[in-house]
Amino acid sequence: LASRGDPYLLVSQMAFAERGVLDRYLAAVQQVVDRHDILRTAFVWEGLSSPTQVVWRKAPLEVSEVELDEDGGPGHEQLKRRFDPRQYRIDLGRAPLLRIVIAREPGSTRWLLLELQHHLIGDHTTLEVMHAEVRAVLEGREYELAAPQPFRNLVAQARLGVDAKAHEQFFRGMLADIDEPILPLGLSEVRGDGSGVHEAQRMLPQGLNDRLRQQARRLGVSLASLCHVAWGQVLARSSGREQVVFGTVLFGRMHAGAGADRTMGLFINTLPVRLDLDGTAVEASVRSTHARLSELLAHEHASLALAQRCSGVAAPAPLFSALLNYRHNTPAALAGSGAEDGLAGVEWLGAEERTNYPLS
């Protein structure tokens, strides 16, 4: 389980005009938790041959109320500092793996909420689906919600699909001759306290976006393949290597059956991809990358630990320290993530998703 990407806490923060609005929101969250097996899931492993997911019939939401300092700065920042996911831990044996902290904002009638969700029970899509369902409950549209899809379907698919020997054969063929960690800019240290972390955002001009998509159509590849080659070029130049390996985040829902796009749970997986950026022409490189990503999809539920053992890099050194998360968000998905939700008295304050890879 620990090899499926980065188990971590996903953080969301909201503000409510008054306590009554907050209480209605919490009741809606509990209703959504009651609907979905993965939100009532805990993990046990002591004394067992392998870790097991246990679904509780009832999983009451754990809500903690704290008092904030009048002169301690903005309330939402106080909450975030006090329950920083780099120090705060969730007991994996106690469902739901969702913790909520509330506090009255100093000098105000507003109430603040900090939501911590463990990555083991959800990914970005899970957060979108969960917030959409909570919104539907608050607006009295529960009848519109489709019957929840059980997460056990994915568990069965992952356990009964491609066997470990086939995974090992694939990753040995790709990684066996890689005997040194690929560390762009020499970055290898993981700073668990979050110090030194910098984030930047850049919106691509529409014209560049259009040209990229035109090139992808001309070559008969996905735009993701173009972006993987571009990221590979960055890593090749910053590591001094022609053969580069980096982690790529697989969506995990492409072949997960009907309704997978609305199923909650951890579908994503981080797996290594290797690109040989030598004297190969750009078009040939893009096409070979597209082929390799297509092959990787057949192994999207493989263990990252297994994949890393198939390389020539001796443990505990990392095989790679850079990550690419190519994610396509639809306008509908983005619409539910801001303050324009249309829920009276509710304000979205922000969220945090972070991995432990030094360069992402």
Side-chain angles (χ1 to χ4, degrees), residues 4 22 28 42 47 73 85 98 126 134 153 170 204 215 239 251 264 271 283 299 302 329 345 351-352:
R4 291 182 58 83
L22 170 60
L98 179 69
T126 298
V134 168
N153 292 351
F170 172 76
L204 296 185
Q215 289 290 347
S239 66
F251 190 46
M264 295 194 199
L271 289 173
E283 288 192 9
H299 302 272
N329 287 338
E352 176 183 297

Side-chain angles (χ1 to χ4, degrees), residues 168-180 244-246 271-275 292 304 306-313 319-320:
E168 185 173 344
Q169 182 179 4
F170 172 76
F171 286 108
R172 284 203 185 282
M174 180 169 65
L175 302 170
D177 62 335
I178 302 294
D179 55 9
E180 291 183 31
V244 297
V245 179
F246 56 92
L271 289 173
V273 62
R274 177 221 180 121
L275 302 185
R292 174 147 288 173
L304 174 58
L306 178 150
Q308 293 183 131
R309 287 196 300 269
C310 292
S311 76
V313 178
L319 171 61
F320 57 87

Side-chain angles (χ1 to χ4, degrees), residues 6 46 49 51 62 122 149 188 208 236 276 294 297 312 344:
D6 280 326
E46 294 179 348
S49 60
E62 186 173 307
Q149 297 292 317
S188 61
L208 176 56
D276 296 321
S294 298
L297 282 177

Side-chain angles (χ1 to χ4, degrees), residues 8-11 80 83-89 116 192 352:
Y8 203 61
L9 300 182
L10 306 179
V11 183
K80 193 173 179 180
F83 295 90
D84 191 313
R86 281 163 287 278
Q87 282 84 40
Y88 185 77
R89 295 292 179 264
L116 300 164
E352 176 183 297

Side-chain angles (χ1 to χ4, degrees), residues 170-320:
F170 172 76
F171 286 108
R172 284 203 185 282
M174 180 169 65
L175 302 170
D177 62 335
I178 302 294
D179 55 9
E180 291 183 31
I182 310 301
L183 306 176
L185 305 174
L187 294 173
S188 61
E189 183 183 2
V190 175
R191 297 183 178 179
D193 62 356
S195 65
V197 173
H198 300 279
E199 297 183 8
Q201 295 187 14
R202 176 69 58 86
M203 184 68 72
L204 296 185
Q206 186 62 44
L208 176 56
N209 174 72
D210 294 342
R211 293 200 303 277
L212 285 170
R213 294 187 181 281
Q214 181 182 1
Q215 289 290 347
R217 285 193 297 269
R218 184 179 69 83
L219 297 173
V221 302
S222 66
L223 181 53
S225 299
L226 277 178
C227 291
H228 276 72
V229 173
W231 183 237
Q233 291 280 4
V234 172
L235 302 186
R237 296 183 183 220
S238 57
S239 66
R241 302 284 295 272
E242 289 187 334
Q243 288 76 36
V244 297
V245 179
F246 56 92
T248 184
V249 180
L250 289 96
F251 190 46
R253 298 173 186 263
M254 305 286 282
H255 308 289
D261 59 324
R262 304 296 298 172
T263 304
M264 295 194 199
L266 178 60
F267 281 73
I268 65 169
N269 194 13
T270 301
L271 289 173
V273 62
R274 177 221 180 121
L275 302 185
D276 296 321
L277 299 171
D278 41 25
T280 307
V282 175
E283 288 192 9
S285 182
V286 170
R287 288 196 172 97
S288 65
T289 298
H290 184 75
R292 174 147 288 173
L293 291 174
S294 298
E295 292 173 347
L296 189 62
L297 282 177
H299 302 272
E300 64 180 347
H301 298 305
S303 158
L304 174 58
L306 178 150
Q308 293 183 131
R309 287 196 300 269
C310 292
S311 76
V313 178
L319 171 61
F320 57 87

Side-chain angles (χ1 to χ4, degrees), residues 14 25 131 134-136 138-139 339-347:
M14 305 172 72
Y25 176 84
H131 290 154
V134 168
R135 178 180 178 180
L138 288 172
E139 295 178 348
E340 71 281 1
D341 273 7
L343 300 180
V346 182
E347 181 184 356

